[in-house]
Amino acid sequence: MHKPEYTAKARLLKRRETLQAGLGACTGLLLGRTFAQENSLVAAGDVLVYASGDKADQPILVNQVGPNKALNAYPMDPSSQVVKKGLKTLIVLVRLDPKTLDANTAKYAANGFVAYSAICTHQGCPISQLGEVGSRKGKLVCTCHGAVYDPTAGAKVLGGLAKRPLALLPLKLQGQNLVAAGGFIGKVGVD
Ligand code: FES
């Protein structure tokens, strides 16, 4: 008498298990892809290109950027010319007076250019600008909740809710191009 009901329940359970297994496999694939992307963020030799605007995807030339300016960039693989676009590869590039950089930051700078991951370590908002007034003037500022980082000193946190500096990207010059001298130093993104 009860067998059909049991069988129906068993079928339902089996279907649920099959669906869960399928979802698990999909999640695994997604996680796998994300992990692979994080492992290939920026490589030595990648050329910095404009992240947006009418020059998007074109190499940033040093003579195109004035002093005390910040802009967003992406790394481009020089052989395949593929621009590595994504939140975790977004860079904030700053041109400063080389004399203002501390010794450690100067080691990774090129002609006064310093580069950091643009992802705020508080909650992951993209950073694209320098503050213009008061104690924020010339500092990297996150407009979401006001984190302030010092671009002259390894992007150490000067204020706001962030607890950790931005990851630093070593730079070198190749002709007029700015090129990554290695991968990010430090963790990219939020904890
Ligand atoms: Fe940047 Fe909160 S995400 S301060």
Side-chain angles (χ1 to χ4, degrees):
M1 282 290 285
H2 297 293
K3 199 175 176 187
E5 194 186 331
Y6 171 79
T7 309
K9 267 187 187 165
R11 272 202 210 106
L12 267 174
L13 280 171
K14 183 77 188 159
R15 229 165 115 186
R16 194 180 295 166
E17 280 167 14
T18 310
L19 274 170
Q20 281 170 344
L23 277 173
C26 287
T27 309
L29 279 174
L30 285 172
L31 285 175
R33 195 165 59 205
T34 305
F35 186 69
Q37 283 169 346
E38 286 180 14
N39 274 335
S40 59
L41 291 178
V42 186
D46 283 356
V47 177
L48 268 55
V49 302
Y50 288 93
S52 57
D54 52 7
K55 290 196 179 75
D57 298 350
Q58 293 178 30
I60 299 167
L61 305 180
V62 288
N63 60 9
Q64 293 172 336
V65 185
N68 303 310
K69 289 272 183 280
L71 69 154
N72 285 129
Y74 281 125
M76 179 183 73
D77 183 308
S79 353
S80 63
Q81 310 258 300
V82 169
V83 178
K84 301 174 182 177
K85 294 185 182 181
L87 201 53
K88 290 211 156 189
T89 50
L90 188 63
I91 293 160
V92 60
L93 177 71
V94 188
R95 184 170 200 177
L96 299 163
D97 178 348
K99 293 196 288 288
T100 63
L101 304 178
D102 74 14
N104 195 48
T105 309
K107 278 196 305 197
Y108 301 109
N111 268 34
F113 283 89
V114 287
Y116 297 98
S117 161
I119 304 310
C120 181
T121 62
H122 175 228
Q123 285 184 1
C125 286
I127 296 172
S128 63
Q129 58 187 254
L130 294 173
E132 291 179 353
V133 291
S135 61
R136 296 177 167 209
K137 189 169 181 188
K139 312 299 182 208
L140 285 165
V141 175
C142 178
T143 53
C144 281
H145 317 100
V148 183
Y149 301 89
D150 187 350
T152 68
K156 76 174 177 192
V157 179
L158 295 176
L161 300 170
K163 298 276 184 281
R164 182 164 62 69
L166 303 170
L168 186 152
L169 185 71
L171 290 179
K172 63 181 179 183
L173 277 184
Q174 218 164 62
Q176 284 289 300
N177 290 332
L178 288 156
V179 169
F184 281 118
I185 299 171
K187 185 179 172 187
V188 173
V190 299
D191 290 321

